[in-house]
Structure formats: structure tokens, C-alpha cells
């Protein structure tokens, strides 16, 4: 026979996310500040989702609509419900603002802070389990605590002579003796929902901050003879709160260090300077790829095996095939680079550009919403926008697709085996057929037939290249 109640109470989650976060010194609500590119609130709501609660209630206030939008970007609106706290009168008041939705429920309420992003679902599950199993009948409250070498800023856990929970004292209200205590309140708790809302009625704001503290609830419960339990946790990184930018930077560094060491040890990636590279946790990098100093890889980027990424390059939400060499100072956003391509230095790919296998983009070349075909090259000083370029085509230095007429964007189509001469202006919409050649400085305003040489301003037909004649130098550049 088990000591535990056979039926566990249903679980609800409440996330506190209404505060502005004064200590951030920001116009942006704290929970919207980003860690590894994602708003803090999304880490907490995702961790909560993993427990499959009945519902996740989120207390919003400052920039509430934006917080709501951030959460709903990742979470189904059937899972989440939003509760508005009009005035931020403290964490106790924040919980109280959900009273009408929760007070009558026979459930367990897991309370989380929107500014404690690193908490893992496994830890939350263990907390809930201990809460339910406490003395065979469940506790009224279980507090997740941790010991910190520097507990400054956190609420301290005061235990009685028997080592049992007595009360939580906020940093600001603490005496020097209490400030010596290094066991802190993580701001993460499980409550018996009905007992929580009953106790909240007795919370007063007689403290230094004049706030209604949720942290007063456990001691009120204890005084009323209820069981208040502690769930001591060992990983202090997980409960680190973000109250200021220094703490946010610390978490960013912790995440980055973890990501890079995993890439080195489990995936075989070489980092020339692991300290200066910045790699998103959502990115993947393959075996024997070499990352030079000051490289940033953001979002859901994938870099395959055997690539070299040189210093100063940023890659955001892009895919890079194997054996690709990206030279210094490139910016690659929302784009795709095929196997064995070469990019840079100082190249810019954006707007769903695509380089096919073995193609090359060189110095000071920008591709916007452009496809560069297999083995084609654009080596120097070029803008290609809204263009489709075939295979084995060479785009000469200084080529520009004039894709914008002041009102609308137009497309340029260039075929296979084309030679676009240096300084050619392609006035879109325009098509250059397979095997065509444009002379240096051509301004191409009309479609060019296949195998035709055009030159001049505006470019006119000079010859049909199929009728074999010795090639004249029209200023092509390779
Ligand atoms: C709180 C705890 C402290 C604990 C720490 C852990 C209280 C009184 N103190 O302190 O014991 O060690 O968390 O990180 O609870 N919020 C609202 N409405 C409000 C006030 C706050 O929604 O009126 C939200 C904030 O947006 C934030 C969370 O509650 O997400 C915590 O508030 P914060 O002011 O950061 O509390 P701490 O001072 O960190
Ligand atoms: Ca906090």
C-alpha cells in the first residue's frame, strides 16, 4: 500500500509578470527583455507547459498586451489565460488579482516568476511531486529554496530551532543577522489553491516597500497550523532571477558557455576563441567546423560539417551546407548557403537569398531575395536584389540590379553561362537569356536574348554569339 494519496490534485500554474522591473532601468517591461533572443517570459511559460497543467495563468500589467503577444507566439491560447493586475502593489497582490479565476478551485497552484527564466521542467515536476507527497497528504505550501554564496537581493529563509520553515524575510526588511542566511526563496512555490487564497486575505503591506508580499503567505499558513514544506534545490543557476542588466548578462554568459562546450565536446566543433563566440542555444553546428573569434550565430541557424567561419561574421536564422567557407565580417540573415560555397569577406545575404552548391559571393556583395545558381560567381562590389541567376554565370564587379522604380520592386532573371560585364546596370524587370554577355558599363533596359552580346547605354545588340567570331573585350571581369 502506498503512503501517498491515490488521486493527486489537478495542477494549475500562475506566472507573475506584471512588474516593470525598475532595476532594469528600461522602458521595456522586464519579462520582455531577451535572453538568447527570446523574451524571459517565454522561458517560464515553456517550462510550465512541460508539466501539462490544466491552465497557465499569467499576471500581466506593464506592457501587458506585448507580454501576452510574446507568450501566445509560442503557446496555444487554450493553454494560457491572462489576468490583469492594474497596479503593481506587490507579488501577493499579483496573485490576488487572479482570485476570481482560482480561489474556489480544488487544485495545486504552482507559482512562478516571469523573471526566473532558467528553471527546468524536471525541477518543477520534482517540486510538485514533493508537495503532493508531503506527509502522505500534501502540504499547504512548498517553497523551492537554494543556498547561494551571495544571497544579496533575495528573500531569506528563516528556519526554527528544529530546522523547519518559519518565515521569509525580504532583503530590504532583513536585519544584519538575517542577511547572513544564505538559503534563499527562489520565488517558485506550490500551494494548495484554496488555502493560498484564504491566507492572502490576511496579508498586509506593513513593510519597507509598502507592498503586499506573497512571501508572507507561508508564515501565515504556518501560524494557522498548516504544513509548510521546503524543497531544497542544488542548482543555483536555475533559480537565478533577472532584476538588473548585470544578472541578465550573467545568464546570457552561462547559456552561451553551456552551448559552446556542448558543441565542442559532443558535436566536434572547433572554437579558436570560445570566449568571444556567441552561439544561440537554438543553433546547430556540425563536426569539424571551425569558428573563429567574434562570430555570432543566432536563432535557429544550422551550419553543417567542415565549414570555416571567420571573425566578425553574424549568421541569423540561416542554413549553411557542408564545406562552406565564410570569410571575415559577413552578415547572413534568413538565407541558405549550399555545400562548398565561398562567401565574403564583407558580404551581406538577406531576405531568403539562396546560394546553390559551389557558388561564390565575394567582397562587398549584397544579395537580397536572390538565388545564385550552382557554380555561379559574384565576386566584387555588387547588389543583386529580387534576382534569379542560373548556373555557371559570372556577375562582373560593380553590377547592380536596379530593382526599385521608386514605387515597386521588380525582378531580374539571368540564365545559365551568362557573363555580366563590369558595372552593368540591370534595369528590372528584365531577363538575360542563357549564354548572353553584357559589355562593361551596359545599362540593360530590355530583355536580352540567349547567346547575344549587348553593350552601351542603353544596351543594344552588338552580335549574336552563336555566329562564331573572335570575342571582343567588352570588359568582363571575373
Ligand atoms: C521576489 C521575492 C523574493 C525572492 C525573489 C526570487 C517577494 C516579495 N519577494 O523578490 O523573496 O527571493 O522574488 O527571485 O515576492 N510582480 C508582479 N506584480 C507586482 C510585483 C511583482 O507581477 O506587483 C512580478 C514581477 O514582474 C516579477 C515577479 O513578480 O516577475 C517577482 O517580482 P520582483 O519585484 O522581481 O520580486 P523580487 O524583489 O525579485
Ligand atoms: Ca525578481
Amino acid at each position: 500500500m502506498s503512503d501517498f494519496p491515490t488521486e493527486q490534485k489537478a495542477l494549475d500554474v500562475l506566472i507573475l509578470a506584471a512588474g516593470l522591473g525598475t532595476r532594469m532601468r528600461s522602458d521595456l517591461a522586464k519579462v520582455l527583455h531577451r535572453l538568447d533572443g527570446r523574451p524571459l517570459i517565454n522561458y517560464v511559460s515553456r517550462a510550465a507547459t512541460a508539466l501539462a497543467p490544466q491552465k497557465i495563468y499569467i499576471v500581466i500589467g506593464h506592457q501587458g498586451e506585448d507580454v501576452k503577444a510574446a507568450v501566445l507566439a509560442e503557446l496555444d491560447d487554450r493553454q494560457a489565460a491572462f489576468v490583469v493586475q492594474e497596479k503593481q502593489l506587490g507579488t501577493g497582490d499579483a496573485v490576488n488579482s487572479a482570485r476570481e479565476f482560482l480561489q474556489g478551485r480544488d487544485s495545486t497552484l504552482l507559482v512562478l516568476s516571469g523573471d526566473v527564466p532558467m528553471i527546468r521542467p524536471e525541477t518543477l515536476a520534482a517540486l510538485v511531486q514533493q508537495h503532493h507527497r508531503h506527509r502522505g497528504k500534501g502540504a499547504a505550501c512548498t517553497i523551492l529554496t537554494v543556498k547561494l554564496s551571495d544571497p544579496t537581493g533575495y528573500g531569506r529563509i528563516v528556519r526554527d530551532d528544529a530546522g523547519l520553515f518559519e518565515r521569509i524575510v525580504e532583503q530590504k526588511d532583513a536585519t544584519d543577522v538575517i542577511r547572513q542566511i544564505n538559503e534563499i526563496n527562489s520565488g517558485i512555490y506550490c500551494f494548495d489553491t484554496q488555502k493560498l487564497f484564504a491566507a492572502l486575505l490576511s496579508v498586509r503591506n506593513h513593510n519597507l516597500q509598502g507592498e503586499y508580499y506573497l512571501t508572507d503567505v507561508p508564515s501565515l499558513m504556518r501560524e494557522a497550523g498548516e504544513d509548510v514544506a521546503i524543497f531544497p534545490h542544488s542548482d543555483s543557476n536555475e533559480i537565478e532571477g533577472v532584476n538588473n542588466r548585470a544578472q541578465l548578462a550573467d545568464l546570457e554568459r552561462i547559456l552561451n558557455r553551456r552551448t559552446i562546450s556542448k558543441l565542442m565536446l559532443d558535436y566536434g566543433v572547433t572554437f579558436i576563441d570560445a570566449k568571444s563566440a556567441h552561439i544561440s542555444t537554438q543553433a546547430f553546428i556540425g563536426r569539424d567546423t571551425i569558428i573563429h573569434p567574434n562570430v555570432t550565430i543566432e536563432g535557429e541557424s544550422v551550419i553543417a560539417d567542415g565549414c570555416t567561419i571567420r571573425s566578425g561574421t553574424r549568421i541569423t536564422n540561416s542554413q549553411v551546407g557542408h564545406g562552406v567557407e565564410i570569410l571575415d565580417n559577413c552578415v547572413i540573415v534568413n538565407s541558405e548557403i549550399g555545400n562548398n560555397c565561398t562567401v565574403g569577406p564583407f558580404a551581406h545575404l538577406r531576405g531568403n537569398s539562396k546560394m546553390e552548391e559551389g557558388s561564390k559571393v565575394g567582397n562587398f556583395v549584397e544579395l537580397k531575395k536572390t538565388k545564385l545558381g550552382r557554380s555561379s560567381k559574384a565576386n566584387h562590389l555588387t547588389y543583386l536584389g529580387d534576382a534569379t541567376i542560373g548556373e555557371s554565370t559570372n556577375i562582373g564587379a560593380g553590377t547592380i540590379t536596379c530593382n526599385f522604380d521608386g514605387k515597386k520592386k521588380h525582378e531580374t532573371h539571368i540564365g545559365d553561362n551568362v557573363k555580366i560585364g563590369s558595372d552593368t546596370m540591370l534595369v528590372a524587370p528584365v531577363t538575360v537569356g542563357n549564354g548572353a554577355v553584357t559589355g562593361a558599363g551596359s545599362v540593360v533596359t530590355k530583355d536580352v536574348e540567349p547567346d547575344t552580346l549587348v553593350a552601351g547605354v542603353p544596351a543594344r545588340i552588338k552580335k549574336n554569339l552563336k555566329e562564331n567570331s573572335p570575342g571582343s573585350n567588352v570588359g568582363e571581369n571575373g
Side-chain angles (χ1 to χ4, degrees):
M1 227 191 71
S2 146
D3 295 344
F4 312 128
T6 43
E7 261 184 56
Q8 286 192 342
K9 285 194 178 179
L11 182 70
D12 288 309
V13 176
L14 183 69
I15 305 176
L16 309 185
L20 172 63
T22 316
R23 290 163 281 181
M24 295 296 279
R25 302 190 191 285
S26 174
D27 295 332
L28 186 67
K30 175 164 64 179
V31 297
L32 291 174
H33 278 261
R34 286 168 188 266
L35 176 63
D36 188 26
R38 285 171 68 226
L40 295 176
I41 183 68
N42 290 58
Y43 287 80
V44 183
S45 58
R46 187 181 281 181
T49 318
L51 301 187
Q54 300 191 104
K55 200 134 213 154
I56 301 172
Y57 294 86
I58 298 155
V59 182
I60 55 175
H62 279 281
Q63 293 158 31
E65 284 308 308
D66 297 335
V67 174
K68 189 172 166 180
V71 171
L72 291 180
E74 283 189 8
L75 226 130
D76 192 313
D77 64 358
R78 282 167 305 185
Q79 287 176 288
F82 297 86
V83 177
V84 178
Q85 183 192 21
E86 297 292 348
K87 270 191 172 166
Q88 282 65 57
L89 302 175
T91 48
D93 181 70
V95 173
N96 203 45
S97 55
R99 177 176 289 279
E100 60 173 306
F101 304 99
L102 286 166
Q103 71 172 343
R105 277 167 95 119
D106 184 21
S107 69
T108 294
L109 189 66
L110 173 64
V111 175
L112 305 173
S113 282
D115 64 348
V116 181
M118 305 270 272
I119 189 70
R120 290 184 311 134
E122 295 84 340
T123 307
L124 295 177
L127 168 70
V128 173
Q129 193 182 50
Q130 184 194 301
H131 177 77
H132 284 152
R133 291 183 173 180
H134 184 78
R135 294 192 177 162
K137 61 178 175 36
C141 168
T142 306
I143 308 165
L144 193 151
T145 74
V146 78
K147 286 188 174 155
L148 295 182
S149 50
D150 178 11
T152 312
Y154 290 93
R156 308 296 205 282
I157 302 292
V158 180
R159 292 180 181 249
D160 65 15
D161 294 340
L164 297 175
F165 173 82
E166 190 176 289
R167 64 199 163 108
I168 301 172
V169 182
E170 290 305 294
Q171 164 92 18
K172 286 193 177 139
D173 305 305
T175 60
D176 286 346
V177 175
I178 287 179
R179 286 185 185 186
Q180 299 300 314
I181 298 173
N182 68 349
E183 186 180 17
I184 63 102
N185 168 29
S186 66
I188 294 169
Y189 331 72
C190 265
F191 290 100
D192 175 296
T193 308
Q194 290 170 357
K195 289 176 181 169
L196 165 63
F197 283 95
L200 268 176
L201 294 171
S202 313
V203 170
R204 298 286 171 266
N205 63 349
H206 303 153
N207 51 58
L208 260 158
Q209 306 191 79
E211 287 184 359
Y212 295 90
Y213 290 165
L214 177 59
T215 46
D216 286 349
V217 165
S219 51
L220 286 166
M221 285 177 160
R222 181 177 167 272
E223 285 160 20
E226 298 288 354
D227 275 343
V228 176
I230 285 177
F231 179 85
H233 188 51
S234 55
D235 183 352
S236 57
N237 282 339
E238 257 186 76
I239 57 79
E240 221 147 317
V242 175
N243 294 315
N244 59 44
R245 310 239 187 187
Q247 288 169 322
L248 182 60
D250 281 346
L251 293 191
E252 191 80 52
R253 189 172 38 82
I254 290 167
L255 272 184
N256 191 46
R257 215 169 41 202
R258 269 191 206 163
T259 306
I260 289 177
S261 76
K262 193 170 89 191
L263 287 167
M264 292 192 292
L265 303 178
D266 297 348
Y267 294 96
V269 178
T270 295
F271 283 85
I272 304 295
D273 177 12
K275 280 211 174 71
S276 73
H278 202 98
I279 316 291
S280 165
T281 53
Q282 300 174 78
F284 174 80
I285 307 178
R287 202 179 176 94
D288 293 322
T289 283
I290 301 172
I291 308 284
H292 283 259
N294 292 312
V295 166
T296 301
I297 297 176
E298 299 179 326
E300 294 174 3
S301 295
V302 176
I303 319 260
D305 297 353
C307 296
T308 299
I309 320 278
R310 288 271 174 179
S311 299
T313 286
R314 166 162 74 92
I315 299 175
T316 304
N317 292 320
S318 294
Q319 283 72 49
V320 177
H322 61 70
V324 170
E325 188 170 17
I326 302 181
L327 299 175
D328 312 62
N329 297 303
C330 293
V331 176
I332 294 157
V333 181
N334 298 330
S335 292
E336 198 181 320
I337 299 173
N339 298 336
N340 303 314
C341 288
T342 308
V343 183
F346 301 100
H348 186 186
L349 270 58
R350 61 189 178 100
N352 295 313
S353 286
K354 182 172 182 188
M355 290 176 65
E356 292 193 331
E357 180 152 10
S359 61
K360 210 178 156 201
V361 158
N363 315 255
F364 304 102
V365 172
E366 177 179 358
L367 260 53
K368 191 222 70 179
K369 208 175 173 187
T370 283
K371 194 190 98 180
L372 186 64
R374 259 168 182 271
S375 306
S376 287
K377 291 177 184 155
N379 277 341
H380 329 266
L381 299 157
T382 286
Y383 171 62
L384 299 169
D386 305 298
T388 309
I389 296 148
E391 298 184 4
S392 302
T393 281
N394 190 68
I395 308 289
T399 296
I400 288 173
T401 52
C402 310
N403 59 336
F404 188 49
D405 64 8
K407 291 199 187 87
K408 272 194 178 153
K409 297 279 169 68
H410 299 282
E411 292 182 3
T412 300
H413 294 273
I414 300 174
D416 300 337
N417 300 301
V418 171
K419 294 186 167 55
I420 300 290
S422 299
D423 209 18
T424 294
M425 302 294 122
L426 297 154
V427 182
V430 74
T431 297
V432 180
N434 293 342
V437 175
T438 70
S442 301
V443 177
V444 180
T445 55
K446 291 192 187 121
D447 290 354
V448 179
E449 293 297 315
D451 302 310
T452 306
L453 166 66
V454 298
V457 182
R460 294 196 172 84
I461 298 173
K462 296 290 178 193
K463 67 168 77 159
N464 184 322
L465 296 163
K466 277 272 168 78
E467 292 155 7
N468 51 9
S469 57
S472 57
N473 182 359
V474 287
E476 192 200 321
N477 173 304

